[in-house]
Structure formats: C-alpha cells, structure tokens
Amino acid sequence: MISPAIILKYFPQLSPKQQSQFEMLGHLYPEWNEKINVISRKDIDNLYEHHILHSLAICKFITPIAGTRFLDMGTGGGFPGIPLAIMWPQCQFHLIDRIGKKIKVAKAIAEAIGLENVTFQHGDIGECLDKYDFVVSRAVMRLSDLLPLIRKNISASDSNSFPNGLLCLKGGDLGSELSEIKLPIIEVPLSDYFTEEFFKTKELIYVEV
C-alpha cells in the first residue's frame, strides 16, 4: 500500500494529530474491508492515492471558514467526508448513504480516529432536510440527476469565498454531462493539483446552486 507520505507530499502543514488520523485510516479501512466491502478489494492497496488523496482534492479548491457545514451525499465508506473532516476540524460534516453497512463502517472508523465533527445518517437523500453550505460527492450519479435532489439542502446564506453549491469529484469524459447543466460551473482537472497518473482523467466540478 502507498503510505500516508503521499498525503504529506501535498499537505505538509498537517498537525501531528491529523498525521496520526490519516495513518490510522491505512490500518482501519483494510481491516473493515475484510468484513464489509466498502472499497474494491482490487483497489484497497491504493487507498491513500485513489480514495483519501482524491477526496482531499476539494481542499485544494476551497478553504472554508470555521463553522461551514458540508453534506456528503452517497458517502459509501466515508469518502470524501472523512478525509475532509480530518483536514477541516473547524467545519461540520453530515455523511449520508442508503446502504446501512457502509454507514456502519464510516461511523466506526470516524469514532476510532476520534473525529468529533461528523454525524451520520442511514437513508435516502430525500430524508435529509437540513441545510448546508456545500454538498460534496464522489461520482454518485449524473449531475442532472444529482442537482434536483440536493437543491433543497443548500443554504441560501453564503459566507465563503465561493457561493454555496455542489463540489463533485468525477472522472472520464464529462462533456455531455456538463452541457446539460444551466447553472454556473467551474471545472478543474485534478492534474492541476496532483502529478500521479491516476489523476489525469479526474476532475473536480463546482456548481453554484
């Protein structure tokens, strides 16, 4: 497995506590994955690059103010929510997924590393009625399907450098998908942030909602 050193390569300012939390993920996810499959078993050795660092691309795009609230829609085993919650302890995160066993894993891992700024919900996005500054997701569904579902969850009061909206991590050719969206969009290739081959086909999409 690639070591947590790849995280320090791009985020050298991490505190000792954050470094310890990221290191613990490298033990906890493989252990849980043996019991409940939340990451492809072929990909677990790439945990730090393909899942943790990938999630942290959002930290290269925005620096939220203290108290910013994030909703991780379709979090699976806790991505991107758990890495972001480690990076931004001054912000609040709510992680939701329809698959109960995946939420169980995410919750157990968050508790094991001492995360105090996360809450969890087993359910459909339609059951989540609270308001957030940003919704984050990692390749959950097409933007044209996702945006109508999360529009109700976006707070109307902006307080960050970017207006409230959706921060989505995606891969592949997104031309037709993005052309369907009539809202303001910023598209950032992750190769702008990270040099590894994996990120050449990955992008961050911000949609002002």
Side-chain angles (χ1 to χ4, degrees), residues 77-88:
F79 300 104
I82 286 178
L84 293 177
I86 294 173
M87 191 65 75
W88 293 328

Side-chain angles (χ1 to χ4, degrees), residues 17 21 24 28 108-118:
K17 180 180 179 180
Q21 287 173 318
M24 289 172 72
L28 291 163
I109 287 174
E111 289 175 354
I113 66 172
L115 276 185
E116 298 177 349
N117 58 334
V118 289

Side-chain angles (χ1 to χ4, degrees), residues 37 58 78 88 109 111 136 176 181 184 187 205 207:
N37 193 22
I58 292 170
W88 293 328
I109 287 174
E111 289 175 354
V136 295
S176 64
I181 308 305
E187 181 181 3
I205 308 298
V207 184

